[in-house]
Amino acid sequence: MSRRVRVALKVGVWAACLVPLAKLLYGFWTDDLTANPISYVTNELGQTTLRLLLISLSLTPLRILFGWGWQMPFRRLLGLFAFFYVCLHLSVWVVLDHFFDWREMGADIVKRPYITVGMLAFSLLLPLAATSTTGMIKRLGAARWRRLHRLVYVAAVAGCLHFIWLAKKVRVDPWVYAAILALLLAIRAWDAARRFARRRGDLLGSSRMDSTVGPSSRPGALLLLVLLLAGCASVTARAPGVASPTRQVLPNGVVLISQEHRASDIVAVQLWLRVGGRDEAPAELGLSHYLEHMLFKGTPTRPPGSIDAELEGLGGNSNAFTSYDFTHYDVVVPLSGLRAAAALLADIAVNAAFVPAELESEKKVVFEEMNLTEDDPERFLTRRLTEAAYVEHPYGRPILGTRELVGGLTRDTLNAYYKKHYVPGNMALVVVGAVTPAQARAVAAETFGRLTGPAPARPAAPPPRRLAGGAGEDVRRPEQQAYLGLAWHAAPTGNTDIYAVDLLTYILGDGPSSRLNQVLREQRGLVQTIEASYVPRQQSGLVSVTARLDAKHLAAAEAAVREVVRRVRQQGVTPAERERAIITAESTYAFDIETAEGLAKNYGQAETTWSLQDEVEYLKRLRQVTAEQIRNAARTYLADDNYVRVRFLPESAR
């Protein structure tokens, strides 16, 4: 869709949404608002709100049923107009019906069900309106933003109930709105069930993946000819009835991973960089993360603000994430926007402008991220644990950098880091969705295939220093409860032990039936919450156990955690625990790859930290892990002399 058409459509939407207000103003001017003008205006504003809300909710079902994508950029605009009219609707009630009599209004809200649910609908729309900006989408992250905005369906249900109960006599229109909403909800439920069934079929089919990533591991003349003609290396995993990822390397070194995934007519287009926090020199701390913030701020051909507008015009959204091992940029668009999305990512990958005003304004955003991390005890505990576990190693440095370094960051410093690391040989483009590998290859060659740059140079980091058993620190915090964290070095990606360590952490601390939950929470009452997790990074994995508890139980809880781990080392795990862990891992994995975006993320992380072949065979290898291998993993990695401890103590505790 051309920019001119998009502008014309947006003007049309604005005009259509303002027509109801214009009609009411004209009626007021001509004194033609019926014999009961307050009731008439209230009813018209309320119905306009419901109509706009239902129209905005119908845009995604239209895409699901017919594959249309042009209408998607207008969802937020329609939703904001619905909020505008509900504010007018409420204002009439507050000002004209009750003239700011707050006591009487409070009594009405309590006593009259239709007002109660109406106020509920309005309250639910408040956070949705407040977060209906591109900046808030980036700040919350696309996944959390989408989860929050599902509240719009609850608000719509409450709005329909409000209208039905408000009607003093039998009227058809409230029930028409309710029927339309029920139909829209049914379409979304059907689509969710269809996608879940397809993901479940893919998951079950993956157990039959008995080949490596490639149609054959034996090179032959035909395969060699294909490779020479394509100018790339490709790998493909095969399973009966299941689409497989294809890996290709463009002549300039950019890796392309693509997979056809037709749960819906959208495409996830992701750029992954083999550069992250571990690649930063001490004076460069936080630059990988800062680039994540700056790349969507503009290029010489895309001035500040135009990238967000372009993505909105495509009916898509964007996100980004920085780790110690990689940085990734994520765009999800309808199929019609595939080439534009790839061209956009290719542009920001090498042509970021770093406009000084944008560079400075983004410092405030990063400082706020630092504040949010420090204010959240669970996130901050994870950070302090990582720092304690990787002293004098890049994994122990803050991803966000420091306030001093970020505050003094200049354009030249950021641009030098960008030009050094954002080169084709460090890039992987992942395309998953309603697209064939041939289509993805053509788009990648046309966009990323034209990029040039020097060969990547990633310095080798020293191995992490061995942990001293029980070393750690105590931190005073304003919270009333204490927090405990223990961490052990474990298998890195690429090590075959990762599968056993993965299952071990599920057995130790995933869910109410896990060992740590049963012993520390259910039997001994030492903690309110406890869980175990495993982060398998490229140079060293980390197993951690974190708990929230009363300060008086800190010593006993730490001893109990070590006791549970020691028992696993000595006695192993039961077949039932192993089976439960595998089922839990399979379920978690299924939800991770349910969407094109989630599947692309798995492939991108695999490409930048281990290998696509390992990722494709993950479940197969997980199922082959024995109980004895899980026990051996506990013995190898969770020793008494291989952990660190961090405790958060309430400031009032002695």
Side-chain angles (χ1 to χ4, degrees):
M1 185 187 301
S2 68
R3 184 176 182 277
R4 182 175 298 177
V5 172
R6 289 198 302 270
V7 171
L9 284 173
K10 185 168 287 190
V11 170
V13 171
W14 270 84
C17 290
L18 290 172
V19 164
L21 180 62
K23 287 177 61 178
L24 288 176
L25 292 174
Y26 180 76
F28 174 77
W29 181 260
T30 59
D31 196 22
D32 187 22
L33 293 178
T34 75
N36 191 345
I38 294 179
S39 176
Y40 174 77
V41 171
T42 303
N43 182 70
E44 286 299 306
L45 291 172
Q47 288 208 55
T48 300
T49 299
L50 267 180
R51 290 173 190 140
L52 290 173
L53 201 57
L54 291 175
I55 292 172
S56 71
L57 293 179
S58 71
L59 302 188
T60 298
L62 287 173
R63 186 180 68 183
I64 292 170
L65 293 176
F66 305 109
W68 300 343
W70 60 267
Q71 77 279 9
M72 301 307 292
F74 304 113
R75 287 181 300 179
R76 277 190 281 164
L77 180 59
L78 289 166
L80 288 171
F81 264 114
F83 182 73
F84 168 70
Y85 278 105
V86 79
C87 287
L88 293 178
H89 177 71
L90 180 64
S91 298
V92 171
W93 182 70
V94 171
V95 178
L96 300 182
D97 268 0
H98 295 282
F99 198 70
F100 302 105
D101 188 334
W102 304 109
R103 180 175 298 178
E104 183 180 344
M105 286 187 284
D108 275 356
I109 292 172
V110 173
K111 293 179 182 179
R112 300 185 179 183
Y114 79 88
I115 297 180
T116 306
V117 297
M119 291 302 297
L120 172 64
F122 176 75
S123 300
L124 291 173
L125 289 175
L126 279 171
L128 306 189
T131 56
S132 289
T133 64
T134 302
M136 286 304 301
I137 294 174
K138 287 187 175 181
R139 182 167 295 182
L140 292 172
R144 279 189 295 176
W145 187 88
R146 283 195 294 268
R147 284 196 296 270
L148 172 65
H149 278 249
R150 287 172 188 156
L151 287 175
V152 70
Y153 289 99
V154 182
V157 170
C160 287
L161 286 174
H162 170 73
F163 193 17
I164 290 170
W165 284 342
L166 174 63
K168 298 293 191 291
K169 57 182 179 179
V170 177
R171 294 177 55 176
V172 176
D173 40 348
W175 296 99
V176 171
Y177 295 135
I180 293 172
L181 178 60
L183 177 62
L184 297 176
L185 287 171
I187 294 172
R188 295 303 301 266
W190 166 78
D191 181 59
R194 180 184 63 165
R195 287 187 286 110
F196 178 78
R198 184 169 299 184
R199 283 289 101 227
R200 184 173 180 273
D202 288 354
L203 179 62
L204 294 175
S206 67
S207 65
R208 299 188 292 274
M209 287 187 187
D210 52 6
S211 65
T212 60
V213 186
S216 172
S217 60
R218 297 187 299 270
L222 180 59
L223 177 59
L224 181 59
L225 177 61
V226 171
L227 291 176
L228 289 173
L229 289 176
C232 63
S234 66
V235 289
T236 307
R238 298 293 178 188
V242 180
S244 305
T246 297
R247 182 181 186 274
Q248 303 173 304
V249 182
L250 304 182
N252 61 355
V254 175
V255 174
L256 169 65
I257 297 173
S258 60
Q259 179 171 322
E260 192 168 357
H261 177 86
R262 295 193 178 271
S264 60
D265 291 326
I266 64 170
V267 182
V269 189
Q270 299 181 0
L271 169 62
W272 290 73
L273 279 301
R274 293 182 185 84
V275 58
R278 77 179 227 205
D279 299 286
E280 299 162 353
E284 298 172 333
L285 294 187
L287 295 194
S288 295
H289 172 258
Y290 212 91
L291 284 175
E292 172 207 317
H293 280 252
M294 291 302 301
L295 258 63
F296 284 110
K297 295 296 183 180
T299 68
T301 58
R302 290 178 165 90
S306 64
I307 290 178
D308 292 336
E310 181 178 351
L311 286 171
E312 186 176 347
L314 293 172
N317 57 60
S318 64
N319 204 352
F321 180 76
T322 306
S323 174
Y324 287 102
D325 292 323
F326 59 79
T327 309
H328 105 268
Y329 302 87
D330 180 352
V331 174
V332 179
V333 293
L335 177 58
S336 59
L338 169 60
R339 192 207 171 281
L344 168 62
L345 289 177
D347 190 21
I348 67 174
V350 295
N351 296 319
F354 304 132
V355 176
E358 297 290 336
L359 182 70
E360 289 302 314
S361 67
E362 207 62 23
K363 291 180 180 179
K364 299 176 184 178
V365 179
V366 175
F367 289 151
E368 183 60 26
E369 281 191 71
M370 293 178 179
N371 292 336
L372 290 173
T373 298
E374 293 168 4
D375 292 343
D376 186 321
E378 294 179 351
R379 290 173 61 182
F380 195 52
L381 178 62
T382 300
R383 172 180 152 184
R384 296 300 288 264
L385 261 181
T386 304
E387 291 174 353
Y390 293 108
V391 176
E392 298 180 1
H393 187 275
Y395 284 169
R397 302 184 305 208
I399 285 286
L400 301 182
T402 66
R403 294 182 187 275
E404 295 74 21
L405 288 173
V406 171
L409 179 62
T410 65
R411 184 188 184 281
D412 289 343
T413 301
L414 186 64
N415 191 54
Y417 186 81
Y418 172 65
K419 294 300 184 184
K420 177 181 177 182
H421 294 288
Y422 278 58
V423 295
N426 268 343
M427 297 178 186
L429 178 66
V430 185
V431 181
V432 176
V435 59
T436 66
Q439 290 173 316
R441 165 75 189 201
V443 169
E446 186 181 353
T447 54
F448 280 84
R450 298 177 178 179
L451 303 185
T452 60
R458 193 171 208 180
R465 192 171 72 186
R466 182 171 176 81
L467 301 178
E473 60 177 335
D474 290 345
V475 180
R476 294 286 176 177
R477 296 275 300 181
E479 291 84 22
Q480 295 301 307
Q481 288 191 300
Y483 289 81
L484 172 66
L486 283 75
W488 294 259
H489 286 169
T493 56
N495 187 310
T496 56
D497 287 343
I498 63 171
Y499 309 100
V501 177
D502 218 357
L503 294 178
L504 172 62
T505 52
Y506 280 116
I507 292 169
L508 284 175
D510 184 83
S513 61
S514 64
R515 288 203 180 191
L516 291 172
N517 270 279
Q518 284 296 308
V519 174
L520 276 80
R521 187 167 64 89
E522 300 298 334
Q523 297 174 15
R524 303 186 188 180
L526 295 175
V527 300
Q528 278 81 51
T529 63
I530 189 166
E531 65 177 354
S533 64
Y534 171 41
V535 179
R537 299 189 180 97
Q538 196 169 31
Q539 295 185 326
S540 172
L542 194 70
V543 168
S544 60
V545 173
T546 55
R548 177 167 52 87
L549 67 166
D550 292 333
K552 62 183 179 181
H553 295 316
L554 278 166
E558 181 180 348
V561 171
R562 295 178 60 189
E563 177 188 334
V564 170
V565 172
R566 189 179 302 116
R567 192 172 300 164
V568 173
R569 294 200 308 262
Q570 294 173 350
Q571 302 173 6
V573 301
T574 67
E577 286 178 317
R578 171 189 170 275
E579 186 63 26
R580 182 186 66 82
I582 290 175
I583 292 172
T584 303
E586 289 177 338
S587 175
T588 302
Y589 190 79
F591 282 110
D592 284 346
I593 64 173
E594 180 182 9
T595 63
E597 185 179 10
L599 191 57
K601 285 181 178 178
N602 275 27
Y603 291 158
Q605 186 166 347
E607 175 63 32
T608 50
T609 61
W610 54 337
S611 76
L612 182 61
Q613 176 176 336
D614 290 326
E615 171 63 31
V616 170
E617 295 194 344
Y618 168 76
L619 286 181
K620 174 186 173 182
R621 295 176 182 177
L622 199 74
R623 296 182 186 109
Q624 294 171 346
V625 174
T626 65
E628 186 62 23
Q629 288 174 314
I630 298 173
R631 180 188 183 188
N632 288 338
R635 288 176 170 177
T636 301
Y637 300 107
L638 306 191
D640 285 334
D641 61 349
N642 180 38
Y643 82 98
V644 292
R645 181 207 67 216
V646 175
R647 304 191 304 183
F648 285 175
L649 306 174
E651 291 177 344
S652 58
R654 295 181 179 178

